[in-house]
Amino acid sequence: MASYIQRRKFLATLGGAAAAWPLTARAQQPTMPVIGFLNTASPSAYTARVLAFHQGLSETGYAEGRNVAIAYRWAEGQNERLPGLAADLVAQRLAVITGANIAAALAAKAMTTTIPIVFAISVDPVEVGLVASLNRPGGNITGATTLGAELGPKRLELLHEVISTASKVAFLVNPTAPIAESLTRDMQEGARTLGLQLHILHASTEHDFDTSLSEVKAGALVISTDPFFNSWSERLAQLASRYAVPAIYSYREFAAAGGLMSYGGSFTEAYRLAGVYTGRILNGEKPADLPVQQATKVELIINLKTAKALGITVPLPLSGRADELIE
C-alpha cells in the first residue's frame, strides 16, 4: 500500500511539474542547473523510466530539488506539439535537454545546436541523423539506445511459435516514422523466411488504431517499434483484446495492459544510462566526447491471462524462456 501511495505521489509530481516549473525555477538558487525533460508520451506511461533516469542522475551526484531542477514537457501522444515544447525549453537556456525518445530528440535537435541533448531510443541514431557516429557523436547530442527496431523479425518468430497455425500475420507500422521503410523491409524478409504472408497496416494517429486493428484479417499481429505507439501502448492492447487479435509489441507496458506478448530491450536501463550521461554533462563533459551507449538487456513478457482468453496454449519451452509471466 505504501509503494502504491508513493507511486501516485510521483505521478502527481511529474504531471504537475510542467505547469509549476517556471515558479519553482525562480525559487531555486541561481547556481542550480535546470534540466529539460522532453518526451512524446505522458507521465503515467513513463513512471518506471523516469525513476530509472533519476537513479542514473543520482549515480553522478544529482538529485531533483537538492542540486538540480527538472522542467518536464510531455506531448501526451501528440507529436505535433513537440516543436513548440522543444522551442519553449530552448528559450529557457537550460543546461541539458534529456529524456528524449526519437521524435522528441529530433524536435530538440531542430531547435538548438548548442544546448546538450541526451536521448534514449531504440533505433540507430546514425541512421536517423541524430549523431555522426556511435563512438564520436560530434555536435551537441549523445545518449543511450536499447534493442528495439532490429528485433522485429524476432518478434514475428516468437509470435509464430505461439500461433504456429497462422499462415498470415499483420504488421502495424507508422508510415511517418523515419525508419518505416526499413522496418517494413526487415519484416517482409522475416515473413518470407518463416513462410508467412505479411499484411501491412498503417497508423499515424490515434484515430487510425481502431480502423487498422478492426481490419486485421490475419491470425496474429506484430506492432512495430515506434515512440508514437509507445504513447498508446495500453490503447493498442485494449483494441487487440477487443478484436481478439494475438499481438506482440516491444515493451512490457503492452503485455501488462492485456497484450499477449512483449519482446524488446530494457528502456529502464536506457533511461538510467541517459541519467548518468546527463549528470556527466552537468559536471562539465561534452556530448561530442561521450560515445552512444547501448543497453543490451532484452525482456520477453507473456500474458498468460490473455492467452487463456484467446484460447491459446503457450508452448512450455517458450514460457520457460520468458522473463515474466503475467497471470
Side-chain angles (χ1 to χ4, degrees):
M1 184 66 179
S3 61
Y4 174 77
I5 294 173
Q6 184 181 32
R7 178 184 176 90
R8 290 298 298 270
K9 287 181 178 179
F10 184 72
L11 281 173
T13 300
L14 290 182
W21 176 76
L23 179 62
T24 57
R26 287 194 296 269
Q28 305 293 346
Q29 294 296 324
T31 56
M32 182 178 287
V34 181
I35 298 168
F37 193 102
L38 178 66
N39 200 279
T40 62
S42 60
S44 60
Y46 268 59
T47 306
R49 300 180 192 187
V50 175
L51 287 170
F53 171 77
H54 279 266
Q55 179 187 338
L57 268 183
S58 69
E59 292 175 23
T60 57
Y62 289 94
E64 183 179 11
R66 178 169 61 83
N67 57 359
V68 70
I70 303 179
Y72 296 94
R73 297 292 184 272
W74 301 96
E76 304 282 351
Q78 300 174 52
N79 286 9
E80 65 274 11
R81 296 179 57 201
L82 286 170
L85 294 174
D88 174 48
L89 289 176
V90 169
Q92 308 295 335
R93 298 183 180 180
L94 307 176
V96 189
I97 295 176
T98 190
N101 47 20
I102 181 171
L106 289 170
K109 181 185 179 185
M111 294 294 168
T112 180
T113 58
T114 55
I115 298 175
I117 299 169
V118 179
F119 56 72
I121 63 177
S122 60
V123 299
D124 183 347
V126 177
E127 182 180 353
V128 297
L130 283 173
V131 298
S133 74
L134 298 180
N135 289 332
R136 297 181 179 276
N140 61 320
I141 306 176
T142 189
T145 66
T146 185
L147 296 171
E150 63 269 59
L151 296 177
K154 182 62 178 180
R155 291 186 198 99
L156 178 62
E157 181 183 327
L158 289 168
L159 195 57
H160 181 58
E161 192 171 341
V162 175
I163 318 292
S164 58
T165 57
S167 60
K168 188 175 183 179
V169 176
F171 179 56
L172 183 68
V173 63
N174 178 2
T176 66
I179 58 170
E181 289 187 13
S182 63
L183 288 173
T184 302
R185 187 169 56 249
D186 290 346
M187 286 297 292
Q188 288 171 331
E189 184 177 339
R192 283 194 296 270
T193 300
L194 295 170
L196 300 172
Q197 298 177 43
L198 193 69
H199 178 53
I200 308 299
L201 301 172
H202 288 154
S204 56
T205 71
E206 179 193 1
H207 303 294
D208 295 334
F209 293 152
D210 198 291
T211 301
S212 293
L213 268 71
S214 67
E215 293 177 350
V216 174
K217 308 299 182 186
L221 170 69
V222 179
I223 301 172
S224 70
T225 298
D226 188 88
F228 171 64
F229 292 165
N230 294 353
S231 305
W232 298 99
S233 292
E234 294 185 7
R235 175 69 172 152
L236 287 167
Q238 291 164 1
L239 287 171
S241 177
R242 177 192 299 177
Y243 294 112
V245 178
I248 187 169
Y249 188 47
S250 307
Y251 308 118
R252 185 188 183 280
E253 290 87 348
F254 177 76
L260 177 61
M261 302 168 65
S262 66
Y263 181 75
S266 171
F267 252 115
T268 53
E269 177 62 10
Y271 271 78
R272 185 191 68 80
L273 293 172
V276 171
Y277 263 12
T278 299
R280 289 177 62 175
I281 289 170
L282 291 175
N283 285 332
E285 295 188 60
K286 298 182 183 302
D289 300 329
L290 296 174
V292 174
Q293 301 186 85
Q294 184 176 70
T296 57
K297 183 181 179 182
V298 178
E299 300 170 328
L300 170 63
I301 316 295
I302 303 174
N303 191 319
L304 295 179
K305 183 178 179 180
T306 299
K308 183 177 180 181
L310 293 171
I312 295 170
T313 300
V314 178
L316 286 176
L318 182 60
S319 62
R321 301 201 308 269
D323 295 276
E324 181 182 353
L325 299 172
I326 299 174
E327 300 183 80

